[in-house]
Amino acid sequence: MARNIQSLERAAAMLRLLAGGERRLGLSDIASSLGLAKGTAHGILRTLQQEGFVEQDGVSGRYQLGAELLRLGTTYLDVHELRARALVWTDDLARSSGESVYLGVLHQQGVLIVHHVFRPDDSRQVLEIGAMQPLHSTALGKVLSAYDPVAHSEALEADRKPFTDRTVCEAADFEHLLDLTRARGYAADVEETWEGVASIAAPIHDRRRMPVGAVGIAGAVERLCRDGEMRPELIAAVRDCARAVSRDLGAARF
């Protein structure tokens, strides 16, 4: 019979300890709880920290679970399931708003479009499933960056290049936008990525209230905005769609 790998068992026990007890634990607490020497515990923690599974508070030195576990934890939700749950609601959003609807997920430091509903008119349009959008300038990207810690880190680490003279690139200004997004429950993009184009997006959560994607609409500025502001009825429609998909994924409070 194959023998278990002791270092992996210890790492797994360490992650369970951090998940089940206090929010943050010190090195001595962790070593004592698991019956390990401090040097052994520190070596495992350092490796887990390098992989993003554990984070260390810069002030207290205590350890907590890292954002990489969020990425792994949400992979149980297949993208195809997310798309399937959203089909009816995104079709309804396209009809009610008269605009194109996009469903996006975090992928390789950007937003991967996994579903696209055409604007319900006779105009010529191109299917954008599989296209990538930036995290820092699109409404979909800002929503993911605001609610998903992994997306947040990737957006801050990425080269936030300007696409137009409206693109927010400075870290402090970008963080302010994310605070505003969380406070309002949606994100907006008015010519920050493409001239003449505006977008609105809201977050989708699963049954554990984890962010698993974002849904939004995009169209001409003159259609989405009125008197320099996003039309409130469109904001409400996007947020209602996101809540409906979240409920279908088991998020009871949406």
Side-chain angles (χ1 to χ4, degrees), residues 50-65:
Q50 289 171 349
E51 296 299 323
F53 298 139
V54 165
E55 296 174 355
Q56 186 178 26
D57 181 72
V59 177
S60 68
R62 290 175 172 265
Y63 295 89
Q64 64 183 27
L65 294 179

Side-chain angles (χ1 to χ4, degrees), residues 142-173:
K142 284 186 275 190
V143 161
L144 291 175
S145 299
Y147 288 91
D148 184 336
V150 177
H152 179 260
S153 297
E154 293 187 350
L156 289 179
E157 293 169 2
D159 178 19
R160 294 180 301 280
K161 67 177 183 178
F163 296 103
T164 73
D165 58 6
R166 289 174 171 261
T167 308
V168 176
C169 300
E170 294 298 324
D173 295 333

Side-chain angles (χ1 to χ4, degrees), residues 105-238:
V105 298
L106 177 65
H107 181 68
Q108 295 181 350
Q109 296 187 325
V111 183
L112 174 67
I113 303 302
V114 297
H115 185 52
H116 175 200
V117 183
F118 282 165
R119 185 171 63 254
D121 59 18
D122 296 327
S123 63
R124 184 179 179 85
Q125 300 174 61
V126 178
L127 189 65
E128 295 188 42
I129 293 176
M132 293 290 293
Q133 293 187 4
L135 285 171
H136 70 288
S137 62
T138 61
L140 289 172
K142 284 186 275 190
V143 161
L144 291 175
S145 299
Y147 288 91
D148 184 336
V150 177
H152 179 260
S153 297
E154 293 187 350
L156 289 179
E157 293 169 2
D159 178 19
R160 294 180 301 280
K161 67 177 183 178
F163 296 103
T164 73
D165 58 6
R166 289 174 171 261
T167 308
V168 176
C169 300
E170 294 298 324
D173 295 333
F174 182 65
E175 287 281 21
H176 175 70
L177 281 180
L178 299 188
D179 289 340
L180 183 60
T181 296
R182 286 185 286 267
R184 299 190 303 189
Y186 73 92
D189 156 23
V190 180
E191 296 187 290
E192 293 178 44
T193 313
W194 301 282
E195 296 284 355
V197 177
S199 62
I200 307 166
I204 296 172
H205 295 80
D206 68 4
R207 59 183 176 82
R208 299 170 299 165
R209 296 183 61 81
M210 294 293 188
V212 293
V215 64
I217 61 174
V221 172
E222 58 268 23
R223 294 198 304 268
L224 268 67
C225 298
R226 180 187 300 133
D227 299 326
E229 300 290 339
M230 287 291 184
R231 290 167 54 192
E233 66 271 24
L234 294 180
I235 295 171
V238 170

